[in-house]
């Protein structure tokens, strides 16, 4: 060894590939690849951000005190047990860092969120993949994958990139059947898109169980993806452990203020949810009409649809043909989804345009 060597588990990480945001030439770009809010950001959050845009010289509140209090008040939680991060991505990394290392196993579902694998490998732990059930989370498969080395189970609900939802009773059964030394991470990045009665019970579990951490984000329905703010909730012990390994300052001052305002923007959140419901349903119907061409949409409770291509036109062909028309969606061959495209629900015009482009591409 005549040069510094990165750790082998680091070199085993396939780098995260972000959703594309450009196309060739000067075709106008319609970005439907990162599950961002097509309605943008609430006016309340933009106003709060703007009020603090000049507050640049001072470090932000390292404890994000006001933000934690606002989150706690909104969800009826203990502010001391709220942890925040540079997106919920950082919180996911903190869980892996605090609870897993070389020799330990971390479970995720097949077609899980790409960050889980990176967070697992980064700390030298071993990723174990539990089989899906028709693209959805299979609680029995997760339980069957548990060994005495299992330390963390990551479940996104709704799941990304499939959009599938695991009901409350199944989450409760998963938690009740896991050994007590396993930390169950319920990643609720899309929870605000659910109807209130579809709550998966995650926060309720995290209030009392020592081995549950729920994560949430301001990047999706709140439309603050550029500011990188996420949070998590768990036991006082878990939160204290995660605090030990975090970077001291993560969220900008203006970002924290915008997030506080975003939480209170009830009308914007409701409008975003209603828009998503309407156009996700409409788009799923359009995909169903292309069944003859081998297209099928996986049932989704999130702000995107995973469309499977099992006909003459492959997902790769459709991906490239959509790109040529300016539509950027997500093709995920690296995650075992060479036959699928994940498409974010955009504005009405974007969604109608995407459906028309797909019809044209498959020749329907
Ligand atoms: C988008 C997303 C996140 C969060 O992203 P941040 O922007 O880092 O908060 C977390 N989990 C899943 C499943 C996601 O799709």
């Amino acid at each position: 060894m005549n040069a510094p060597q990165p750790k082998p588990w680091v070199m085993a990480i396939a780098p995260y590939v972000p959703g594309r945001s450009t196309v060739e030439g000067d075709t106008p770009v319609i970005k439907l690849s990162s599950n961002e809010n097509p309605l943008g950001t609430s006016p309340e959050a933009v106003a709060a951000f703007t009020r603090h845009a000049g507050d640049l010289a001072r470090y932000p509140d390292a404890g994000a005190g006001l933000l934690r209090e606002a989150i706690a008040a909104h969800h009826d939680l203990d502010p001391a047990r709220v942890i925040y991060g540079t997106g919920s991505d950082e919180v996911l990394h903190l869980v892996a860092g605090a609870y897993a290392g070389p020799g330990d196993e971390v479970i995720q579902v097949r077609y899980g969120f790409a960050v889980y694998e990176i967070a697992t490998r980064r700390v030298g732990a071993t990723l174990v993949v539990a089989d899906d059930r028709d693209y959805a989370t299979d609680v029995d498969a997760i339980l069957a994958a548990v060994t005495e080395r299992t330390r963390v189970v990551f479940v996104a609900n709704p799941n990304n990139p499939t959009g599938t939802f695991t009901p409350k009773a199944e989450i409760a059964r998963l938690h009740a059947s896991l050994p007590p030394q396993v930390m169950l991470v319920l990643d609720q990045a899309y929870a605000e898109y659910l109807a209130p009665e579809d709550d998966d019970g995650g926060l309720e579990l995290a209030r009392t169980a020592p081995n549950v951490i729920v994560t949430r984000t301001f990047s999706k329905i709140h439309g603050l993806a550029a500011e990188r703010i996420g949070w998590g909730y768990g036991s006082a012990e878990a939160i204290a452990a995660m605090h030990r390994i975090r970077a001291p300052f993560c969220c900008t001052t203006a970002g924290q203020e915008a997030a506080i305002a975003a939480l209170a923007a009830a009308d914007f959140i409701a409008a975003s949810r209603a828009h998503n419901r309407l156009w996700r349903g409409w788009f799923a119907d359009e995909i169903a009409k292309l069944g003859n061409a081998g297209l099928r949409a996986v049932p989704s409770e999130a702000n995107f649809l995973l469309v499977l291509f099992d006909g003459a036109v492959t997902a790769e062909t459709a991906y490239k043909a959509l790109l040529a028309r300016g539509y950027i969606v997500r093709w995920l061959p690296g995650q075992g989804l060479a036959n699928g495209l994940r498409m974010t629900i955009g504005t009405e015009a974007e969604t109608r345009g995407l459906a028309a482009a797909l019809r044209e591409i498959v020749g329907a």
Side-chain angles (χ1 to χ4, degrees):
M1 286 204 277
N2 52 10
Q5 299 295 308
K7 302 314 288 181
W9 54 80
V10 169
M11 297 315 285
I13 294 173
Y16 181 82
V17 184
R20 224 180 130 135
S21 54
T22 55
V23 297
E24 263 141 58
D26 41 18
T27 311
V29 171
I30 298 124
K31 183 174 180 240
L32 302 172
S33 57
S34 299
N35 303 340
E36 294 144 341
N37 189 335
L39 305 186
T41 313
S42 62
E44 293 91 328
V46 173
F49 185 89
T50 308
R51 268 199 308 279
H52 292 273
D55 294 348
L56 296 169
R58 302 270 181 216
Y59 277 104
D61 174 7
L66 293 176
L67 174 58
R68 283 189 296 111
E69 274 168 32
I71 291 167
H74 191 79
H75 294 282
D76 189 21
L77 304 171
D78 173 0
R81 290 166 55 192
V82 175
I83 192 160
Y84 41 90
T86 308
S88 52
D89 281 7
E90 184 186 14
V91 181
L92 300 169
H93 278 281
L94 294 177
V95 179
Y99 289 95
D104 296 332
E105 292 174 356
V106 174
I107 299 176
Q108 72 155 54
V109 296
R110 188 177 309 285
Y111 318 126
F113 183 45
V115 167
Y116 306 151
E117 176 163 356
I118 298 172
T120 299
R121 294 193 190 281
R122 173 183 173 179
V123 300
T126 303
L127 185 77
V128 174
V129 174
D131 239 327
D132 62 299
R133 195 192 305 117
D134 196 22
Y135 296 90
T137 297
D138 183 342
V139 165
D140 292 308
I142 293 174
L143 291 173
V146 171
T147 73
E148 61 191 19
R149 289 186 296 280
T150 307
R151 292 293 173 271
V152 177
V153 173
F154 283 116
V155 172
N157 202 28
N159 187 35
N160 175 14
T162 63
T164 52
F165 178 67
T166 308
K168 184 174 181 172
E170 281 292 278
I171 295 293
R173 185 168 74 87
L174 171 62
H175 175 251
S177 310
L178 282 175
Q181 75 275 14
V182 176
M183 185 60 83
L184 173 61
V185 181
L186 294 170
D187 175 347
Q188 299 185 334
Y190 301 97
E192 295 86 354
Y193 284 104
L194 299 168
E197 65 271 18
D198 286 339
D199 173 27
D200 72 3
L203 281 176
E204 207 175 300
L205 279 174
R207 280 192 192 98
T208 51
N211 65 334
V212 174
I213 292 171
V214 164
T215 62
R216 292 270 185 123
T217 181
F218 283 94
S219 302
K220 303 290 162 56
I221 209 167
H222 294 298
L224 286 170
E227 276 306 296
R228 312 300 304 122
I229 305 175
W231 58 276
Y233 195 71
S235 72
E237 292 72 21
I239 298 306
M242 291 157 73
H243 267 296
R244 289 171 187 269
I245 55 171
R246 65 165 314 138
F249 301 99
C250 67
C251 313
T252 66
T253 301
Q256 292 182 33
E257 294 291 340
I260 293 167
L263 272 181
D267 290 349
F268 177 81
I269 296 169
S272 299
R273 187 187 298 126
H275 171 90
N276 185 62
R277 212 171 184 68
L278 175 65
W279 291 101
R280 185 184 64 208
W282 182 87
F283 190 53
D285 288 346
E286 292 298 302
I287 298 298
K289 291 178 197 162
L290 303 177
N292 288 342
L295 272 60
R296 165 167 90 96
V298 175
S300 170
E301 292 295 331
N303 66 343
F304 55 86
L305 275 190
L306 177 63
V307 179
L308 305 173
F309 290 74
D310 295 316
V313 175
T314 64
E316 181 177 11
T317 303
Y319 172 71
K320 290 177 178 159
L322 285 171
L323 266 186
R325 289 164 171 80
Y327 291 92
I328 308 180
V329 298
R330 198 70 170 269
W331 181 42
L332 295 162
Q335 284 179 249
L337 282 169
N339 65 329
L341 298 180
R342 193 195 67 192
M343 307 179 185
T344 305
I345 304 304
T347 61
E348 171 176 351
E350 290 167 346
T351 310
R352 286 186 184 279
L354 178 65
L358 275 171
R359 270 196 304 276
E360 199 178 285
I361 289 163
V362 302

